[in-house]
Amino acid sequence: MTTKSHGKHGDFAIEAKGLVKRFKSGKAYVEVLKKVDFDARHGDLTMVMGPSGSGKSTLIAALSGLLRPEEGRVDTLDVDDLWKLSSGKIDKFRLDHCGFIFQGFNLFPALTALQQVETVLKFQGLTPAAAKKRATLALEEVGLKPRLHQRPSALSGGEKQRVAIARALAKDPQILFADEPTSALDGENGQIVIRLLRRAASEHGAAVICVTHDPRLEEWADRVIKIEDGIIIDDQRRTPNPNATLASHH
Ligand SMILES: Nc1ncnc2c1ncn2[C@@H]1O[C@H](COP(=O)(O)OP(=O)(O)OP(=O)(O)O)[C@@H](O)[C@H]1O
């Protein structure tokens, strides 16, 4: 079960030091993260921006226990050195404390919106009745009350992304990772999504880490970190504007 004791706004949710990740490319190794230090705080929407191939997704994967770095450590919540845990414990940590939102939605085609969210909650140990109640609330919170019983094929791209967000938020994660969450959406739906991420940080105290190409999303951020070629080249705090508007792509 999820612990409900969130870190306070401003506390560190993640502190990583000296992360190095290399991939083999033919006979050589390419260093994709070059001794990256990174931290993220509860209550912050932290944007990670940088060109294609700069290492953003690799960084998220190393921070969340999905991809083992060759060097460095990740301290997160009450865990010292995540990568020292067994893979079962890392999976459990992720299930209990982390939410994920990806560009491709990652929904199960056969399940209704309600079932997509319920399934994760049942995995976490909620009873079917409790899972149904919590899933319904999470979907209502993202404005999908009229769509609870639709399968992905009957939903628009924006609605699908909102299901994915409801699924990630239903367990009230202390850390929320979003990788290009708006890139497949038009301006109006992109705005709904970024506002939900903003709210997860401000109202639920989650540390929200959002990888994006889209400089327009900076408006909502508390902090903007720029990464280039595996190195953090800039790290600025800013005052978010939760009422900013995102012009449509189209
Ligand atoms: N499993 C892998 N094997 C080999 N190389 C990889 C692997 N994963 C990523 N890379 C390489 O590492 C580099 C960084 O990739 P990464 O996906 O982290 O970048 P990114 O900043 O997220 O890019 P994008 O914005 O295009 O998603 C790229 O050059 C990529 O080709």
Side-chain angles (χ1 to χ4, degrees):
M1 258 307 298
T2 318
T3 63
K4 287 307 205 168
S5 59
H6 278 194
K8 288 199 287 294
H9 280 240
D11 285 356
F12 285 118
I14 300 183
E15 276 190 279
K17 291 254 181 277
L19 294 178
V20 172
K21 181 70 204 169
R22 300 183 189 99
F23 290 112
K24 202 160 188 189
S25 163
K27 282 192 180 154
Y29 281 93
V30 181
E31 208 162 79
V32 174
L33 298 178
K34 299 172 178 166
K35 291 207 184 291
V36 169
D37 297 340
F38 178 93
D39 61 61
R41 294 170 190 264
H42 290 285
D44 271 1
L45 173 50
T46 300
M47 293 283 177
V48 179
M49 309 192 67
S52 190
S54 55
K56 304 183 295 295
S57 302
T58 305
L59 175 61
I60 295 262
L63 295 173
S64 60
L66 286 167
L67 192 66
R68 181 179 292 278
E70 275 72 44
E71 291 175 30
R73 62 183 283 157
V74 177
D75 300 333
T76 174
L77 305 181
D78 57 354
V79 177
D80 281 337
D81 207 347
L82 182 67
W83 287 106
K84 285 259 163 67
L85 300 184
S86 66
S87 61
K89 288 227 167 87
I90 293 177
D91 290 347
K92 176 88 168 61
F93 173 85
R94 203 183 307 108
L95 179 65
D96 285 346
H97 302 296
C98 302
F100 290 88
I101 299 161
F102 296 110
Q103 180 180 348
F105 318 132
N106 295 72
L107 301 180
F108 300 104
L111 301 186
T112 66
L114 185 59
Q115 289 165 339
Q116 311 271 353
V117 184
E118 280 175 322
T119 305
V120 178
L121 295 174
K122 287 185 204 158
F123 246 121
Q124 274 197 294
L126 265 69
T127 63
K132 183 168 192 177
K133 195 167 167 209
R134 179 108 66 99
T136 305
L137 278 175
L139 286 158
E140 285 177 5
E141 205 181 324
V142 300
L144 287 179
K145 191 172 181 181
R147 314 294 274 156
L148 292 180
H149 304 292
Q150 304 295 327
R151 292 191 172 73
S153 57
L155 299 172
S156 71
E159 288 172 332
K160 280 188 266 208
Q161 191 60 304
R162 280 190 273 160
V163 175
I165 291 179
R167 185 178 58 184
L169 292 181
K171 60 176 169 174
D172 209 8
Q174 299 189 56
I175 307 174
L176 184 61
F177 293 100
D179 198 343
E180 305 279 6
T182 61
S183 63
L185 304 178
D186 62 24
E188 194 181 332
N189 282 296
Q191 174 151 327
I192 291 170
V193 165
I194 192 68
R195 283 192 171 155
L196 288 168
L197 298 185
R198 177 67 262 165
R199 227 164 71 196
S202 301
E203 292 174 22
H204 297 259
V208 181
I209 298 159
C210 176
V211 160
T212 184
H213 275 115
D214 189 345
R216 297 172 308 168
L217 300 186
E218 278 188 28
E219 282 266 34
W220 283 269
D222 298 281
R223 186 172 170 197
V224 178
I225 292 175
K226 298 206 166 127
I227 180 166
E228 236 176 78
D229 199 17
I231 294 171
I232 289 177
I233 55 158
D234 197 29
D235 181 352
Q236 305 270 351
R237 286 202 78 81
R238 60 182 308 290
T239 305
N241 172 12
N243 301 316
T245 50
L246 192 64
S248 179
H249 286 303
H250 304 295

